[in-house]
Amino acid sequence: MTPTIKDVAAHAGFSIATVSRAINAPHTVNPVTLDTVRRSIDALDFRPSALGRQLRGERTRLIGVILPTLANPVFAECLQGIDELAAAQGYRLMLMTTQYDTERERHAIETLREHRVEGLILTVADADTHPLLDELDRAGLLYVLMHNDTVRRPSVSVDNRLAAYEGVRMLIAHGHRRILMLAGTLAASDRARQRHLGYAQAMQQAGLAPAPALEVDFNADELSPSVLAHLTRGANRPTALFCSNDLLAMVVMRGLRRARLQIPRDMSILGFDGLAMGELLSPPLASVCAPNREIGCAAWQRLLARVTGGYETFAETPLALTLPHSLREGATIAAISNRNETTPARISVRA
Amino acid sequence: MTPTIKDVAAHAGFSIATVSRAINAPHTVNPVTLDTVRRSIDALDFRPSALGRQLRGERTRLIGVILPTLANPVFAECLQGIDELAAAQGYRLMLMTTQYDTERERHAIETLREHRVEGLILTVADADTHPLLDELDRAGLLYVLMHNDTVRRPSVSVDNRLAAYEGVRMLIAHGHRRILMLAGTLAASDRARQRHLGYAQAMQQAGLAPAPALEVDFNADELSPSVLAHLTRGANRPTALFCSNDLLAMVVMRGLRRARLQIPRDMSILGFDGLAMGELLSPPLASVCAPNREIGCAAWQRLLARVTGGYETFAETPLALTLPHSLREGATIAAISNRNETTPARISVRA
DNA sequence: GTGAAAGCGCTAACAG
DNA sequence: CTGTTAGCGCTTTCAC
């Protein structure tokens, strides 16, 4: 069906070697021949098979990308960065998503290895303890993690602990004292842990008592009654929430609004991720911003340095590359005067 | 480096044929042999090369996906649908984005064809007149379009004209009479055109004068002064905006808010796409909703029907598959009493 | 049940 | 400058 190099050779009246050269090293073939061959290529609409090439021992120029989900734009933003560089440098991307499911992660890695990807860019729940990554190390398959917070493996991320620390300090600077951290149900991620450490550190340093992260079901249409109770009832209700990511912050804000709380008047909100979309919200979402696109780009560059340049290029750099974060003040944080800090919005809660 | 079937054969003391059978047709080989071979496979951590397999004339089980961008979640949502089915059915996805750039579209198609993808799922700006699609038709490479509104080619979308019509009728039903349609600068897309037709039809039917779509630069940080002037000044300023997609609606809303307009009090907004995120906004974004995930799924199913089942399965269906849309009323639309329709918010405009 | 051998599309020596 | 040839890793007859 699809023409092969043989067909072209036959059509042009030359050998397949000449055709191959005409394609890969045009300067080494007689201009007249070249022209003939090219004409045949066009006539047959020939397109060299990447399979044949790769099999011949060439590099595959194929990179695997494994992401938890695309429903959270934070990963789409990373992927954009990767894709841009990949396209520019003539690499192909094979994409698989896992929903943080270990079985799917295993399967994705397996599949990509069968395709002889030259390397992997991925995000997992917990990098330090992930057995599949150990396997990759053992197998010598190059990979770079995105967002995962670990010093044990090649990774690109922000300093999650420090970033969270600064974010929570910002809340404290606005007068907040009862600050709660919220996390998704799959909270066992390395970065969520680091972010909680940062939160705890900021709290303690201010003489405040950190609380364990409150788990929120991301996908539910409503905040659960028990969570809502935590957030709205009692004299000790929090005045500010630090959400472990922006999407969660948006879900939480919707829940609070439905419970008739106003943001930021009745509750201040700080997210994490710095989704581009957060700036479009009303009020614009305060967030601890990671340079997601750049994280993707950096992961790509590190991976390629290893893939092409070999080990030495990489040895200079520490395993964990930390990119600078930033704080977006947004407008979901209100200042609190610590005088009337008791149940500021109690009356309006009609949940 | 990576072990091949030969290595396994040598290690196990059998021929490569037997190893191959042990992998692909275990029942045809002696249980004892099978066991030996499997032990060798494990010992060497052998993984059959997808390349070798594919080259041997097998199907590649590779599908190409070409999207304009991932910055707009509408495409990420489609991709989710595709990815889910692809993973479940043992296919691989090769992803490329184009930013609607024809050169990149060409390059993407070229690359994917070199990889011998079995089919293509893609979204282009204007399907009817797209020369590359004609080329695909000629070449017999199977593809299915997503979101593109055309009857000439295999596609999955909503009825953009009808959907827009209903959306604008909803605005009219709320008392709006001066309704403007906004579109991105790359407005020459088939669906934007159809949506404008629907808008115009709804307007005319209500005895109102449709206006040409006003182009808005999506990526600019601010609405341009001229656009802002259109939207806010004069007695004839619109009371409602129909935005050709949700992301545009969000950008426009930010611009309006910065100009001190309140939504929906001073301006009603209707988007198009039905982004999941729209429901998290405050107020929730009114939108003409397309089932994006399902569009991805349907595109996948149609493509696979053609790829595997051959032509006949497909012949029954019309080229253009139309999925049902829905209206999300959201809360960005306010009712207007037609009495005091003149410059309701004039005074508060301090842009 | 198993092996030998051909060949998928291509590139890279090596000859001429 | 061009052709011949030997594989790359695998599946698949066809013999045994």
Side-chain angles (χ1 to χ4, degrees), chain B residues 111-130:
Chain B
T111 302
L112 295 172
R113 292 186 69 180
E114 287 181 357
H115 278 269
R116 302 300 186 252
V117 294
E118 296 185 13
L120 240 41
I121 298 180
L122 73 172
T123 299
V124 298
D126 192 332
D128 275 334
T129 67
H130 205 300

Side-chain angles (χ1 to χ4, degrees), chain B residues 115-161:
Chain B
H115 278 269
R116 302 300 186 252
V117 294
E118 296 185 13
L120 240 41
I121 298 180
L122 73 172
T123 299
V124 298
D126 192 332
D128 275 334
T129 67
H130 205 300
L132 262 46
L133 297 177
D134 287 327
E135 226 175 286
L136 292 181
D137 284 332
R138 243 175 286 125
L141 179 52
L142 301 176
Y143 66 91
V144 175
L145 295 161
M146 291 188 304
H147 286 295
N148 286 110
D149 200 315
T150 168
V151 292
R152 288 188 49 217
R153 308 184 190 277
S155 60
V156 180
S157 70
V158 295
D159 185 333
N160 284 284
R161 197 198 50 68

Side-chain angles (χ1 to χ4, degrees), chain B residues 3-25:
Chain B
T4 78
I5 198 173
K6 271 188 190 168
D7 301 320
V8 178
H11 185 276
F14 287 93
S15 72
I16 61 168
T18 299
V19 176
S20 176
R21 278 189 289 258
I23 294 167
N24 302 301

